[in-house]
Amino acid sequence: MTTSNLVQGVAAGVPFVALPPATEAPAPLVVTWHLMEPPASEAAMAEAVPMHGLAAWRVYFGLPMSGARLPEGGYEEFYRRAGEDYVLQVMEPVTGQAAAEFPAAVAELRQRFTIADGPIGVAGGSAGSTVALEVLARAEVPIAAAAVVSPVVQLAPAVGRNERFYGTAYPWTDRSRAVADHYDYVNRADELKAELLLVVGEADDVAFREPSAALAGVLGERSKLVTVPGMGHSLTEADEHAAAVDAEFTAWFSDRLRG
């Protein structure tokens, strides 16, 4: 990590990296969750989407079952679970745990850092976007604005993308369909009260582009949909597409968060 003022730590059991604002005065907070594809860690997400131009604490949480919290057996065990049942053994436990641990982690961040009172921002990419949308829907912490990139707005189409990509057939059951129905934010749009930025790649799969457009259509003026020319699903810190996403996130939160 090249940022000299990076702060690393653990808050209520959640590993994080944080980028402080330039000022020592209390500043707003934006919490971001990474992708499971690059950038696939809290540090990599901070590199790719640092939002340096934002006068806020930018804190990047590590997802469950990633990084320091990989299951026993490491990546081999993670991929075994994903191959056996991606919905029930990966997406449901990862998203559920990350959303459940969010309020306590934010409360601890407020004790440790000079974070301004008031609603915060949340952001995420791909699997991390599902967490951002879920905590927004749960509304256990006041949230002023949210931003997602390459988002999983509807879980079922994302599973279909994996089937096409890996040449496999997912074994749907009543339980996994119920989970997919829960993580369908087009149908749950009325639960998303904060303004939402959706950034999609022009070259990304239809499983991500079309649900994002559908959600933006339902939310109307409470949302903004941005399509980045030539961008696929993943990002890297040296990528021009990551710079475009960073600029969109920075402008979005700058207009909606105040210290």
Side-chain angles (χ1 to χ4, degrees):
M1 190 75 183
T2 58
T3 306
S4 59
N5 59 352
L6 177 77
V7 179
Q8 294 180 282
V10 177
V14 183
F16 71 85
V17 298
L19 297 173
T23 177
E24 294 184 2
L29 169 67
V30 176
V31 171
T32 301
W33 292 269
H34 57 82
L35 294 73
M36 287 184 179
E37 301 176 34
S41 71
E42 57 271 31
M45 192 69 174
E47 282 275 14
V49 190
M51 294 179 273
H52 284 309
L54 181 62
W57 281 92
R58 289 95 66 211
V59 176
Y60 302 78
F61 282 164
L63 288 172
M65 293 178 61
S66 72
R69 297 198 285 177
L70 277 170
E72 186 175 349
Y75 284 109
E76 183 176 344
E77 173 61 13
F78 174 86
Y79 289 121
R80 185 198 68 77
R81 296 183 189 186
E84 187 172 289
D85 196 318
Y86 175 72
V87 173
L88 298 182
Q89 295 199 35
V90 176
M91 279 301 292
E92 181 184 34
V94 167
T95 309
Q97 180 181 338
E101 65 194 14
F102 172 67
V106 169
E108 186 166 321
L109 291 176
R110 288 190 180 279
Q111 293 178 349
R112 295 171 63 173
F113 302 135
T114 53
I115 295 170
D117 292 336
I120 69 172
V122 294
S126 193
S129 73
T130 313
V131 180
L133 292 170
E134 182 64 16
V135 301
L136 180 57
R138 293 189 184 192
E140 296 172 316
V141 173
I143 295 171
V148 290
V149 59
S150 304
V152 181
V153 168
Q154 293 177 307
L155 181 53
V159 173
R161 176 260 194 177
N162 288 346
E163 290 180 310
R164 295 190 300 275
F165 188 83
Y166 294 108
T168 60
Y170 177 73
W172 286 104
T173 64
D174 289 345
R175 184 183 167 206
S176 59
R177 289 191 185 282
V179 171
D181 287 344
H182 178 77
Y183 296 120
D184 181 339
Y185 296 98
V186 175
N187 287 336
R188 296 175 63 195
D190 61 345
E191 300 176 47
L192 307 178
K193 303 303 183 183
E195 291 183 277
L196 175 63
L197 170 68
L198 301 115
V199 182
V200 298
E202 179 186 46
D204 202 356
D205 193 272
V206 66
F208 305 103
R209 290 185 286 108
E210 288 192 352
S212 295
L215 179 56
V218 174
L219 292 175
E221 294 182 354
R222 292 192 291 118
S223 70
K224 179 182 178 183
L225 177 66
V226 174
T227 300
V228 179
M231 188 177 86
H233 191 71
S234 59
L235 305 167
T236 64
E237 61 270 20
D239 193 340
E240 64 182 79
H241 299 138
V245 173
D246 184 67
E248 292 289 348
F249 276 29
T250 300
W252 182 257
F253 287 118
S254 293
D255 288 342
R256 288 160 179 82
L257 296 178
R258 295 290 182 267

